[in-house]
């Protein structure tokens, strides 16, 4: 019964964040246009392209299972280096960990992300990194367009009226229109999300290049570091650059259970 309640709560959280993600990314398409002619077309096309990348990768992150049980029929040779999950009462391969929220063992678990309502693990780590990348650029798009819009109506890129407390006070006294207040609020939210996504992406991409997940990085475990190229292929597969351009699912190079160790590394169970 407790397990069912946790799963229901997880699904409700997922739906809640889905609405927030949909609303926020749709703001890309609702920003007032600052251009005309072909430049307006290019700007709108860029907004649609970012929106499609964000939503597609969010769906891939949220609805891709990294459960070890879901992969139990795969063949592999990890038996000699398994560890035991005290909660699920079965052996699990290296880099797999139990998630208290999902109530299951997750292959190559990085962390549980509330914004996708799912664990970031072996099968959706690539989509999560690409999602962070495009959300960050989406906020750059929003921020620049809003600054250009404010400059076009006020004759200045940024003024005292754009400081949030000042904007609220002036709105209260009727000197700032409600729609402009919403745009100012959107500007601040975009900057905050840009910074948070940038630092999260920088952290995730750095440890990916070093062949680690968050748990391994925090505990200084680097036995799976097989070099930059191989580390990137482990997450993104071949032609990893294309994964940032085309938002499509891809076949992973392994099974999430068998892991090569880097040269001169000794085995340490994680």
């Amino acid at each position: 019964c407790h397990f069912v309640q946790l799963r229901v709560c997880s699904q409700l959280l997922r739906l809640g964040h889905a609405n927030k993600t949909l609303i926020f990314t749709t703001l890309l398409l609702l920003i007032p246009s600052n251009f005309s002619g072909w430049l307006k077309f290019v700007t709108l096309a860029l907004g649609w392209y970012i929106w499609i990348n964000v939503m597609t990768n969010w769906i891939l992150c949220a609805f891709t299972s990294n459960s070890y049980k879901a992969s139990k029929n795969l063949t592999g040779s990890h038996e000699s280096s398994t560890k035991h999950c005290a909660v699920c009462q079965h052996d699990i391969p290296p880099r797999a960990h139990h998630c208290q929220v999902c109530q299951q063992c997750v292959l190559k678990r990085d962390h549980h992300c509330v914004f996708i309502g799912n664990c970031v693990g072996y099968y959706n780590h690539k989509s999560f990194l690409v999602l962070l990348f495009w959300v960050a650029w989406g906020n750059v798009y929003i921020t620049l367009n809003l600054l250009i819009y404010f400059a076009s109506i006020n004759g200045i890129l940024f003024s005292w009226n754009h400081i949030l407390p000042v904007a609220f006070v002036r709105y209260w006294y009727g000197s700032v229109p409600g729609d402009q207040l919403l745009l100012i609020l959107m500007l601040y939210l975009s900057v905050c999300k840009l910074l948070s996504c940038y630092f999260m992406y920088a952290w995730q991409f750095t440890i990916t290049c070093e062949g680690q997940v968050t748990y391994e990085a925090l505990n200084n475990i680097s036995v799976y570091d097989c070099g930059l190229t191989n580390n990137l292929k482990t997450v993104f597969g071949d032609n990893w650059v294309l994964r940032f351009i085309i938002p499509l699912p891809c076949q992973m190079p392994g099974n999430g259970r068998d892991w090569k160790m880097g040269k001169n590394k000794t085995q340490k169970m994680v």
Side-chain angles (χ1 to χ4, degrees):
C1 182
H2 179 62
F3 170 75
V4 173
Q5 290 175 348
L6 285 174
R7 293 299 295 169
V8 170
C9 291
S10 178
Q11 293 297 325
L12 290 175
L13 281 173
R14 177 182 296 183
L15 292 174
H17 288 297
N19 292 332
K20 294 176 184 178
T21 304
L22 179 61
I23 292 171
F24 183 80
T25 51
T26 303
L27 294 177
L28 289 168
L29 311 176
L30 300 179
I31 298 174
S33 177
N34 305 299
F35 307 102
S36 59
W38 67 271
L39 200 54
K40 179 179 180 180
F41 172 79
V42 171
T43 304
L44 290 176
L46 179 61
W48 274 105
Y49 179 69
I50 296 174
W51 185 88
I52 291 172
N53 272 281
V54 169
M55 293 307 302
T56 303
N57 283 288
W58 185 90
I59 292 171
L60 292 174
C61 282
F63 296 100
T64 298
S65 174
N66 298 291
S67 171
Y68 174 58
K69 292 182 180 179
S71 306
K72 63 182 179 182
N73 294 324
L74 294 176
T75 59
S77 58
H78 68 278
E79 286 79 3
S80 61
S81 58
T82 57
K83 54 184 179 177
H84 189 73
C85 176
V87 180
C88 297
Q89 291 297 309
H90 61 64
D91 292 337
I92 56 176
R95 312 188 84 179
H97 295 275
H98 186 84
C99 176
Q100 296 294 339
V101 180
C102 297
Q103 285 295 297
Q104 62 186 5
C105 293
V106 177
L107 292 170
K108 194 196 171 192
R109 183 178 184 270
D110 188 89
H111 68 285
H112 185 91
C113 179
V114 296
F115 292 103
I116 62 174
N118 195 12
C119 270
V120 177
Y122 179 71
Y123 289 105
N124 65 355
H125 200 179
K126 181 270 297 184
S127 299
F128 181 72
L129 283 165
V130 178
L131 174 65
L132 289 175
F133 177 84
W134 282 113
V135 170
W137 277 108
N139 283 282
V140 171
Y141 176 93
I142 292 175
T143 301
L144 291 178
N145 273 276
L146 286 175
L147 289 175
I148 295 173
Y149 174 74
F150 290 143
S152 66
I153 62 175
N154 298 323
I156 187 172
L157 193 64
F158 196 85
S159 67
W160 283 100
N161 290 338
H162 299 146
I163 298 176
L164 198 56
V166 177
F168 274 114
V169 172
R170 293 179 65 86
Y171 168 75
W172 181 265
Y173 287 100
S175 57
V176 172
D179 57 348
Q180 189 168 344
L181 178 65
L182 290 176
L183 292 176
I184 293 172
L185 181 60
M186 188 193 303
L187 175 63
Y188 279 85
L189 291 175
S190 297
V191 173
C192 290
K193 288 184 68 68
L194 168 61
L195 293 176
S196 62
C197 287
Y198 170 78
F199 285 112
M200 183 65 175
Y201 174 78
W203 163 257
Q204 284 287 325
F205 194 77
T206 298
I207 63 176
T208 296
C209 292
E210 296 176 354
Q212 297 174 310
V213 293
T214 297
Y215 175 85
E216 296 162 358
L218 295 178
N219 290 275
N220 198 27
I221 299 169
S222 57
V223 295
Y224 304 107
D225 185 2
C226 298
L228 177 62
T229 301
N230 290 327
N231 292 339
L232 291 175
K233 285 184 177 181
T234 298
V235 174
F236 295 100
D238 295 325
N239 302 317
W240 65 272
V241 176
L242 293 178
R243 310 303 177 195
F244 286 86
I245 302 174
I246 304 174
L248 294 174
C250 66
Q251 183 69 33
M252 297 301 294
N255 58 20
R257 306 193 305 173
D258 305 304
W259 297 98
K260 294 181 180 180
M261 291 184 291
K263 295 180 180 180
N264 302 321
K265 304 290 185 180
T266 57
Q267 177 68 49
K268 180 178 180 180
M269 295 305 298
V270 294

